[in-house]
Amino acid sequence: MPPTTPSPRIPRPGAPRPRAPHLRVQHPRPRTRSPHTPSPRTPSPRTPSLRVRRPRLRAALLAAVSAGLVAAALPAPEPLGIGDPLYPHLGNPGYDVLAYDIALTYSGDNRKPLDALTRIDARATERLDRFNLDFSHGTVASVTVDGRPAGFTRTGEDLVIDPALPVAPGDRLTIAVTHTSDPVAAGAEGGWVRTADGLALAGQPHAAHRVFPCNDHPADKALFTFRVTAPKDLVAVANGRAVARAVAGPSATWTFRGDHPMATELAQVAIGRSAVVRHTGPHDLPLRDVVPAADRKLLEPWLRRTPGHLRWMEEKTGRYPFDTYGVLVAAASTGFQLETQTLSLFERSLFTDPELPEWYVESIMVHELAHHWFGNSVTPRSWSDLWLSEGHATWYEALHADESGHEQLERRMREAYTASDGWRAAGGPPAAPRPPATDAKTALFRPVVYDGSALVLYALRQEIGAAAFGTLQRRWTAEYAHATAGTADFVRLASAVAGRDLTGFLRGWLYGEKTPAMPGHPDWRAATPTAASSAGARPTAHGPVAGPVRAPVTGAAGG
């Protein structure tokens, strides 16, 4: 998500490989058994169900009784997490989500909760006597597991579920939660965005579970289906392809389905008085843009630029990895743009502010598009790997501005180098950012993950050469397509492409407190960090800063 006001330094906040092992982040406690268990359900002694000739039922009942015997020794329900270094409360151990099917009913009033039913198809990775989902800002009416009513309770931002029967490792389970989804819940920070005519969704980095129950961590990607019911004079859209629309009285239900796995933070649902504008991209790629109906003519010239952006990106990184793409323009003041999968979210003001130069707006459009290779298809395995997503998107944002003759890449990188020690002191190095000081959605998105991380890629290109760097980009997006990957994976692949071990070279760039010497530019110097290192910064797509604020400039010397 890039900034809404221009600056030469604009880092923004926002068959395939086998699925990465589920949640490969260190757990805060051993996972040898779940600490939870359901209440035993023992039938009457007179029932024939305990006879030996009914072995399956007898085994199930004995399992329930056995679970009940240890219930008193287990701790009370508590929030869990997978131990992500930056967001340890996100995600849950014990299962791998395979697919979500989310039904939402919108009344037409964006101040009222939506009725919802979230179905989750998952596979247990360990015995589950009890398990957690991430969910807050909504009420829960009922839960079933494999069609059987299940007990549930709320703790922190978790929904704790007691299935009627334990789930064995490797077993599939279907969870159904009937709930509401509240766009104006007290304390809500992220999730639903109220627009002038409806709603849109912004779940990055930790707010998808404020809209629907989920395993809210990018390490657990899954397939998504959305079924959105709304007044039929409105338009509903979501990630993926539209597969159905049915009208019943005053309402219509739209169904959308994605063909590739997606991280929860990239989910998108938008409802409003919208126009859907269709174009065709490279290789006959269907393009679907969604804009306020009243602004269709105003915005159409911008929408026509997307096919060119796609061709430019494909020249750099290989074929676009999804089955559709589009721009979603929201009549809302968000302060960011966001790469929601196949339908990137943009503020209306980005396209209507007369002070923003056209080249700058295009570079932001390219930034969000680039995320579909870096972040959406190849998804960071942990939030500490965010530099792989934001650094690459910023790199292509800057490269597009350079190749279109408006802002020199080298000049931008030199200025980033000057500021880099200050960014590292303020937020940590690119691959080991410090935990956010607050829970605000913008807290993680500091300059070091934008221009500070693009600077790492510039240094790598300087070290291995442009040809090898281009090969690395294509291999990265091809070999990890629709999977998750981390910093160690990138270092290994870069070493393989370069034909030598780059671990030592990249260690300082990725983890050092000080910025290493720039290959090919021995005269570059990093400024000494001061308390004013971030002075003059302005909001980016996710928040904090992108370098000194200056009036936008045009021409080759721009930036």
Side-chain angles (χ1 to χ4, degrees):
M1 309 177 181
T4 55
T5 55
S7 155
R9 277 323 50 64
I10 310 168
R12 47 129 278 147
R17 290 176 63 91
R19 291 171 63 92
H22 174 63
L23 304 180
R24 293 172 56 189
V25 182
Q26 182 62 46
H27 293 275
R29 59 178 61 81
R31 294 178 54 191
T32 56
R33 74 167 190 262
S34 169
H36 313 301
T37 182
S39 300
R41 300 186 305 155
T42 308
S44 164
R46 290 190 296 272
T47 180
S49 60
L50 291 179
R51 295 178 183 174
V52 177
R53 66 173 179 264
R54 301 285 299 278
R56 292 184 181 177
L57 182 55
R58 180 175 182 274
L61 290 168
L62 288 175
V65 171
S66 176
L69 293 176
V70 298
L74 298 176
E78 61 178 329
L80 298 180
I82 63 167
D84 186 283
L86 299 182
Y87 293 104
H89 60 287
L90 289 183
N92 294 286
Y95 59 91
D96 175 23
V97 175
L98 306 176
Y100 293 93
D101 191 316
I102 302 169
L104 298 162
T105 300
Y106 176 64
S107 68
D109 186 341
N110 64 8
R111 297 165 298 178
K112 294 182 178 180
L114 291 75
D115 291 327
L117 172 62
T118 295
R119 297 180 185 273
I120 301 172
D121 181 20
R123 178 181 290 111
T125 57
E126 62 186 63
R127 176 188 167 98
L128 296 176
D129 298 302
R130 176 184 286 173
F131 59 90
N132 289 24
L133 296 173
D134 299 306
F135 184 55
S136 64
H137 301 328
T139 61
V140 177
S142 66
V143 178
T144 64
V145 176
D146 294 331
R148 300 181 182 93
F152 62 91
T153 190
R154 309 290 289 274
T155 177
E157 294 198 355
D158 278 19
L159 172 64
V160 183
I161 298 173
D162 289 275
L165 297 172
V167 182
D171 281 0
R172 294 279 288 266
L173 65 155
T174 300
I175 308 151
V177 183
T178 302
H179 61 99
T180 63
S181 185
D182 193 347
V184 293
E189 174 66 33
W192 287 118
V193 173
R194 294 171 61 208
T195 66
D197 56 358
L199 294 169
L201 207 163
Q204 194 178 71
H206 55 28
H209 70 277
R210 297 172 187 179
V211 175
F212 57 92
C214 58
N215 204 29
D216 199 5
H217 192 280
D220 194 6
K221 297 170 69 169
L223 297 173
F224 276 77
T225 297
F226 290 97
R227 307 173 197 276
V228 186
T229 300
K232 64 184 179 182
D233 60 330
L234 302 181
V235 172
V237 294
N239 310 93
R241 299 174 296 105
V243 296
R245 180 178 182 270
V247 176
S251 300
T253 298
W254 292 258
T255 302
F256 298 87
R257 184 170 294 122
D259 294 326
H260 298 95
M262 180 171 74
T264 50
E265 44 118 357
L266 301 174
Q268 180 57 264
V269 175
I271 309 165
R273 300 188 182 280
S274 305
V276 179
V277 183
R278 302 190 184 278
H279 297 283
T280 302
H283 322 294
D284 295 322
L285 178 73
L287 302 181
R288 166 198 56 160
D289 301 309
V290 183
V291 302
D295 293 325
R296 177 170 181 162
K297 288 185 178 179
L298 174 67
L299 296 172
E300 189 122 30
W302 291 110
L303 308 180
R304 287 198 293 265
R305 302 185 189 210
T306 297
H309 298 160
L310 280 158
R311 284 189 289 271
W312 186 84
M313 279 297 305
E314 289 192 342
E315 290 174 1
K316 310 295 183 185
T317 59
R319 191 155 176 163
Y320 176 72
F322 297 98
D323 297 326
T324 184
Y325 183 67
V327 167
L328 169 63
V329 180
S333 178
T334 63
F336 58 79
Q337 330 303 324
L338 181 61
E339 66 275 11
T340 43
Q341 193 159 302
T342 71
L343 191 61
S344 294
L345 175 66
F346 293 88
E347 277 189 308
R348 179 183 182 276
S349 62
L350 179 71
F351 303 102
T352 59
D353 186 341
E355 294 186 5
L356 299 184
E358 289 188 10
W359 68 265
Y360 167 73
V361 175
E362 285 204 74
S363 73
I364 300 306
M365 294 176 73
V366 168
H367 182 117
E368 301 309 329
L369 175 60
H371 269 304
H372 282 72
W373 284 263
F374 303 94
N376 296 13
S377 175
V378 185
T379 300
R381 189 170 293 133
S382 78
W383 281 108
S384 295
D385 298 315
L386 180 62
W387 80 273
L388 288 165
S389 173
E390 297 299 348
H392 277 97
T394 303
W395 171 261
Y396 288 104
E397 167 198 325
L399 189 62
H400 188 273
D402 178 81
E403 292 191 2
S404 62
H406 294 100
E407 184 184 36
Q408 290 181 340
L409 176 66
E410 184 174 316
R411 180 173 178 177
R412 178 168 176 169
M413 292 297 99
R414 181 167 188 167
E415 294 187 4
Y417 189 91
T418 301
S420 180
D421 277 3
W423 292 341
R424 289 169 184 248
R434 295 195 187 96
T438 72
D439 199 40
K441 65 178 181 292
T442 60
L444 179 61
F445 298 91
R446 310 169 178 127
V448 73
V449 303
Y450 294 99
D451 278 31
S453 296
L455 186 66
V456 176
L457 299 174
Y458 181 81
L460 180 59
R461 192 178 73 162
Q462 290 289 104
E463 178 71 10
I464 68 176
F469 182 81
T471 298
L472 171 61
Q473 298 292 280
R474 290 180 177 83
R475 284 190 58 180
W476 177 253
T477 56
E479 294 185 21
Y480 290 94
H482 305 298
T484 61
T487 299
D489 299 311
F490 186 81
V491 173
R492 282 193 296 269
L493 185 59
S495 298
V497 170
R500 57 190 173 91
D501 189 357
L502 293 172
T503 303
F505 171 77
L506 285 170
R507 182 181 297 115
W509 282 99
L510 292 170
Y511 297 104
E513 294 183 4
K514 299 292 184 180
T515 310
M518 177 60 72
H521 295 289
D523 57 319
W524 286 16
R525 297 287 183 271
T528 302
T530 67
S533 292
S534 296
R538 65 189 153 60
T540 63
H542 281 98
V545 291
V549 173
R550 294 196 292 262
V553 291
T554 57

